[in-house]
Structures are given as C-alpha cells and as structure tokens.
Amino acid sequence: MDIIMSGFFQRALIGGMLIGITAPLMGIFLVLRRLSMIGDTLSHAAIAGVALGFVIGDFPILFGLIFALLASFAIEKLRKSYKSYAELSLAIIMSGGIALASIFFTLGRDLSMDANSFLFGFIYTLTPIDLWTMLGVTVAVLLIVGKHLHGLFLITFDEEAASVSGMPVSYYNILISVLTALVISISIKIVGGLLVSALLTIPAACSLLLAKSFKQSIMIVVLVGEVAVICGLLIAGVWNLAAGGTIVLVLIAFLLLILLGRNIFSRIA
Amino acid sequence: MNIGTEACHRDIITVDSVSFSYQQRDVFKNVSFSVMERDFIGLIGTNGAGKTTMLRIIVGLLKPTSGEVRLFGEPISQFKAWDRIGYVPQRNNLNPLFPATVKEVVLSGLSGKRKWFGRHSREDYQKCDDALMAMGVEDLAEKRIGQLSGGQQQRVFLARALINTPSLLILDEPTVGIDYETQESFFHMIKHMHQHHNMTFLMVSHDMEMIKGYLGESPASTAGKLNFYIRHSHETQDCIEDNLAHSLKHLRSQMESQKEG
Ligand SMILES: [Zn+2]
Ligand SMILES: [Zn+2]
C-alpha cells in the first residue's frame, strides 16, 4: 500500500486521469471513421521518437511528439497518393517506426535504458515536467475539440456532407491526426507505445454497444477510460504489476462485462 | 434554361462544357446547361448516363476532367455560400452502429456560427422540429439513425438538407424506398416551395409520373444521354410562412379526413 502514497505513484495517477480523458476522446473519432489503425501507426512512430530521445539524452516525450506529428503528416500525404488503399500507407509508417525504434534501442544499449519502458509503459519515470506537458496537451485537446465539436461530428458521420457544406475537410483530417499524435505521445510513459492504441479504441468499442446518441458516446468513452485508468493503476500499484498492461486488461474486462450484460439483458427483455 | 432571349432570372448553376471520364471511359463529354433561379429541373437518363456523377460534380465532390462549373455566378473553387445549397445523395452508406440520434443528424445540417461543445440555440431546435415534421419523421427524433429503415433514413437526410431552407436543393433519387404517402407529401411540399417561395430544384428521378405530371411530357433539352425536364416558375412568391412544415398542414388534414371518411 505504501507505493500508492509515494510521489511517483501520485504523479502517475494524475497523469493517468489526464490521458484517461483525452485518449478515449480522440479514439472515438478514429474508431467511428474506421481509422483505428491510425492510432496504432502514430504510436509506433512515437515509440521511435521516444527511443531517440533517450539515445540523445532527454526529452523523450518531446521527440515522441515530433515523430508522431511527422508520421501524421506523412499519413495524409500517402493517403492522397494511394487513395483507396489508405491502410497501405499506415502499414508502411508503422513498420518504419518500429524499424527506427529497434535501431535506436541497439544504439542506446550502453545508456542502460530499458526498451520495455517504451513498449509497455514505465510510470516510475514520470517527472513533474511530464505532468505539466500532459496537462497542457489535455487542456489544448479539450479546447479544440470543444470548439469544433459540431464540425468533428459532421466529418465523422458523413464526410461528403461535410465537404458539401463547405467545411475544410482536409484541415479537419490533419487536426484529428495531430491531436491524436499529441495524445499518444503523452500517453506512452503510462501505458506504453504498444498498448496506447487500446486506450484509444476499447472505450470507443464499449460506447458503441451502449450509446444512443453522439453526446452519450462521448460521455461514455471518457467515463470508461477514466475509470479503467484509475482502477488499472491502483491494481498495478497494490500488486506491483505493469501499469499499462493492467489498464488494458481492465479495459478488456469492461468490454466483456458490457457484452455479457447486453446478452443477459436482451434475453430477459 | 430560358427559351426566351432575355433572361428573367439569373443562372444559379452553370455547367460549361464539362466532360468527365472514369478509367479512360467518357461518362459524358462537353455537356453545357444552366439552372436558373426558380427553375425546377428533372434530370432523367438511363443507367450509366452519368446523372449522379453530374450532381457530384456540381456540388464539388468530383472534379470534371475538363470544363467549369459555376454556382451563383462564382467558379466552384471560389464559391463560399454552401449554406444556400442542400444536397441529398442517393444512398448514404452509414455504419448501422453509429451512435447518433435522428435529431443530431438533422441538426448537423445547420450552418452558421457554432456554439461551444456543439450546443444549439432554441431557434435551431425549432428549425429541426420543423424539418422533422416536414418529412414526417418527428416521432423518430430520439431514435438512433442506424435503427431506422432505409426509407426512414432517406427522409432524415432530406430533413437535414431542408433545415437551412436552402435556395437550391439538389436531390438524387430522393424518394427511393419511401412509401407512397410520404412521396406524395414530399412532392407536394417541394412543388409548393417551388411555386410560392424562392427555391430552385435540380432533381434526378426515375419517377416519370411525377416528372411528367409537373414538368411536362417531353424534355426541354438533352445533352448526351442526359434529358432535362424543366418548369420555370413566375408565380408570385406570396407565401409568407417561412417554416418548412407549413405547406403540409393542409395536405395532412386532407389526408386524415379522407382516411376517416
Ligand atoms: Zn424567370
Ligand atoms: Zn409556403
């Protein structure tokens, strides 16, 4: 129990509560547009950036962010060149990110860094600066999404109608990718690069089973994400488990419970 | 498309020698026509004549291989007043699980400045109710869009296009999958909007009965495999009601008294 009282765990909890809002919030837009793979791709690019940050010495979140941003622009570019084969561009960038990361890992071998920490999360390394970065990104994401919610809904629901209503569709596409890149890079230290896409997509999967309206679906993803991150971190803290993995398993447990509940409910009703 | 020499109304769609080819095959070549303010144009053609393609070019979803489209006198690349145009495509392939209510979908058609967190004003909700009423889907307002039948969904998309009371309504087979009674009231409403309000229509349809009944027995012009049936209105824009459902009130009460009688 002492671990929960410790400074680094409190930091992890605060950071977790921040990404528990933003990651599922961006995830719902990606999932509804059938672009969940973008989250996965950006996070693999971010892993490479974080690895480079450690090789150079510091600012892993910053480098992760830069790599994820570069990847999000590259996706848009490639998407235009391949049009109907969008997932091809994702596959290329995803493997490119992992390839780079693996090279950086071997370069940084003497730096006594642990590849596991990028891949699966490493809450013990969270610094106060990381927390401030997370807070800044969270505030920015909430302001931008709040301001553009109507446009984001329209483009998510019906991209053609958005275009005919005169909305700058490609600007919105870039906005979504950039915000996702931001959210992923702040989430890596807590849930890890390989698991961050679960925090983007599983809350959305839960909300698709429950929500009747778009408003509800946004409230549900944030609620599910938040509860899962807090439960996951507490369980991980008490039993000394990997934080990222525990959070993701809690998310999956939620999804299974909802599925089960729906089955039972539809049988009685 | 004015037969006289002096134009009484201005052009609001100008299609200027537009060609479109897809996979090295010409869908149409060098098509020119214009739609004047207060025209009602029925666009008829066989399958593969490129009716839907033409509409998609007009609303800017497709770029013509050559030629130019102007909307309200402006080249489409510079056109800004998209809120004056309502467009209803033939089929929306929407994800049946998409979490959005009918009301949210119809409200998403509203243009103009947006409040924070996508909130709407009381006036917006009133417009939404009117549009739902006009399409006879007011009872479905809180249902999830994916739970509706194809015809009901189509009516919701029509309501979304109507919510801004656009000056130009572009419709691609608007009544496919819709029951006869709703078709009747829909045509009744758009005829009323054409005759007594300043609304212009460009509609692709296979419903020859409706087209010929309202627009005349034979096409006023043709371009390739595309046939244009045209009726231009000079009736006075005397109707002062500005909500959408008003033209239906009379019709509905008529229908109901028929049912009872
Ligand atoms: Zn005239
Ligand atoms: Zn009227």
Side-chain angles (χ1 to χ4, degrees):
Chain A
M1 277 313 230
D2 308 340
I3 193 172
I4 290 173
M5 289 300 149
S6 66
F8 79 83
F9 191 82
Q10 308 261 309
R11 279 201 290 277
L13 210 53
I14 296 169
M17 286 161 89
L18 294 174
I19 63 167
I21 301 171
T22 48
L25 183 61
M26 291 319 296
I28 186 83
F29 295 113
L30 296 180
V31 168
L32 289 178
R33 302 187 67 198
R34 300 175 185 172
L35 295 174
S36 342
M37 286 287 285
I38 282 194
D40 228 4
T41 308
L42 294 181
S43 56
H44 284 76
I47 293 173
V50 171
L52 180 66
F54 272 106
V55 171
I56 292 177
D58 215 340
F59 309 116
I61 287 192
L62 182 67
F63 278 99
L65 176 61
I66 292 170
F67 270 57
L69 285 176
L70 287 176
S72 69
F73 290 123
I75 289 170
E76 275 308 307
K77 268 260 173 291
L78 285 173
R79 231 154 65 105
K80 277 181 191 137
S81 324
Y82 288 105
K83 277 181 186 148
S84 46
Y85 299 102
E87 67 276 13
L88 186 58
S89 65
L90 299 183
I92 294 167
I93 293 173
M94 195 185 301
S95 44
I98 284 297
L100 271 178
S102 68
I103 288 173
F104 294 145
F105 285 146
T106 43
L107 279 180
R109 208 163 16 205
D110 334 324
L111 294 168
S112 73
M113 59 161 199
D114 186 3
N116 284 331
S117 66
F118 324 105
L119 300 178
F120 305 112
F122 201 59
I123 55 172
Y124 303 92
T125 61
L126 272 179
T127 64
I129 295 174
D130 292 338
L131 272 193
W132 285 112
T133 316
M134 290 170 133
L135 184 65
V137 168
T138 303
V139 171
V141 167
L142 289 179
L143 285 178
I144 293 170
V145 170
K147 180 87 186 132
H148 295 282
L149 194 59
H150 178 83
L152 287 167
F153 170 75
L154 187 53
I155 207 170
T156 305
F157 179 68
D158 187 344
E159 191 170 320
E160 287 198 343
S163 166
V164 175
S165 74
M167 262 177 61
V169 170
S170 49
Y171 162 81
Y172 270 89
N173 280 336
I174 292 172
L175 183 72
I176 292 174
S177 301
V178 167
L179 291 182
T180 308
L182 279 168
V183 166
I184 286 171
S185 46
I186 60 165
S187 307
I188 279 189
K189 274 200 172 176
I190 292 180
V191 285
L194 287 185
L195 298 174
V196 67
S197 68
L199 191 55
L200 290 164
T201 52
I202 298 176
C206 293
S207 96
L208 283 187
L209 296 172
L210 297 174
K212 287 209 169 63
S213 68
F214 191 65
K215 248 183 215 123
Q216 268 184 20
S217 75
I218 286 188
M219 292 190 284
I220 291 171
V221 284
V222 171
L223 188 71
V224 167
E226 201 60 9
V227 174
V229 168
I230 294 170
C231 291
L233 282 173
L234 288 175
I235 294 170
V238 171
W239 281 292
N240 199 19
L241 306 169
T246 314
I247 291 171
V248 173
L249 288 178
V250 171
L251 280 169
I252 292 173
F254 280 179
L255 183 63
L256 292 177
L257 279 176
I258 292 169
L259 278 169
L260 194 72
R262 247 172 53 119
N263 264 339
I264 293 170
F265 183 77
S266 66
R267 235 170 260 174
I268 332 172
Chain B
M1 276 192 196
N2 187 29
I3 300 117
T5 44
E6 195 86 16
C8 53
H9 274 103
R10 64 185 183 130
D11 283 358
I12 59 177
I13 302 175
T14 315
V15 172
D16 192 355
S17 34
V18 162
S19 305
F20 186 79
S21 47
Y22 178 71
Q23 294 177 338
Q24 270 90 47
R25 196 182 65 87
D26 288 333
V27 180
F28 41 71
K29 228 176 168 171
N30 248 329
V31 173
S32 297
F33 68 93
S34 57
V35 178
M36 277 193 326
E37 195 174 352
R38 298 205 74 190
D39 267 348
F40 194 124
I41 295 194
L43 177 53
I44 314 295
T46 51
N47 280 338
K51 296 161 294 186
T52 295
T53 307
M54 181 54 85
L55 295 193
R56 288 171 65 81
I57 288 175
I58 289 171
V59 297
L61 288 171
L62 286 174
K63 277 205 165 62
T65 320
S66 65
E68 192 192 42
V69 173
R70 289 188 294 279
L71 296 171
F72 296 89
E74 269 182 277
I76 200 162
S77 54
Q78 284 152 45
F79 183 69
K80 291 277 183 298
W82 289 102
D83 57 319
R84 302 188 65 184
I85 299 179
Y87 166 64
V88 183
Q90 195 171 4
R91 207 160 280 286
N92 267 280
N93 43 355
L94 72 98
N95 174 354
L97 278 182
F98 198 101
T101 60
V102 165
K103 207 177 202 169
E104 284 176 319
V105 171
V106 173
L107 282 166
S108 79
L110 275 171
S111 60
K113 273 262 173 271
R114 208 47 54 197
K115 286 190 181 178
W116 277 80
F117 306 110
R119 286 184 310 119
H120 295 278
S121 64
R122 184 187 293 249
E123 193 191 340
D124 289 348
Y125 284 118
Q126 188 56 50
K127 282 184 183 172
C128 176
D129 288 346
D130 277 347
L132 288 168
M133 192 83 83
M135 292 316 303
V137 283
E138 65 273 22
D139 297 340
L140 304 173
E142 303 299 334
K143 280 248 184 304
R144 213 179 58 215
I145 183 83
Q147 295 173 312
L148 272 53
S149 72
Q152 289 170 330
Q153 284 178 8
Q154 183 69 356
R155 283 149 74 180
V156 173
F157 289 116
L158 286 165
R160 180 177 68 176
L162 290 170
I163 193 169
N164 278 325
T165 38
S167 353
L168 169 63
L169 199 51
I170 299 174
L171 305 166
D172 196 349
E173 299 277 14
T175 54
V176 168
I178 297 186
D179 63 277
Y180 182 75
E181 207 168 292
T182 315
Q183 276 186 32
E184 283 292 288
S185 62
F186 177 64
F187 285 138
H188 178 88
M189 180 187 64
I190 60 177
K191 283 178 199 167
H192 172 88
M193 295 310 273
H194 178 229
Q195 285 167 1
H196 301 288
H197 296 255
N198 187 359
M199 213 186 255
T200 302
F201 293 85
L202 173 59
M203 181 172 85
V204 166
S205 179
H206 68 277
D207 185 348
M208 290 313 289
E209 196 189 328
M210 183 271 162
I211 293 283
K212 288 187 172 166
Y214 189 55
L215 305 177
E217 277 302 312
S218 54
S221 70
T222 57
K225 283 179 276 181
L226 302 171
N227 298 313
F228 299 89
Y229 288 73
I230 302 165
R231 176 168 177 157
H232 186 69
S233 175
H234 276 164
E235 279 160 89
T236 42
Q237 295 166 29
D238 52 356
C239 187
I240 43 154
E241 302 247 23
D242 61 355
N243 67 347
L244 284 161
H246 71 275
S247 71
L248 292 173
K249 280 179 195 143
H250 177 65
L251 183 79
R252 285 217 178 155
S253 56
Q254 223 176 4
M255 282 169 150
E256 260 141 47
S257 62
Q258 269 174 6
K259 263 188 225 162
E260 283 158 17

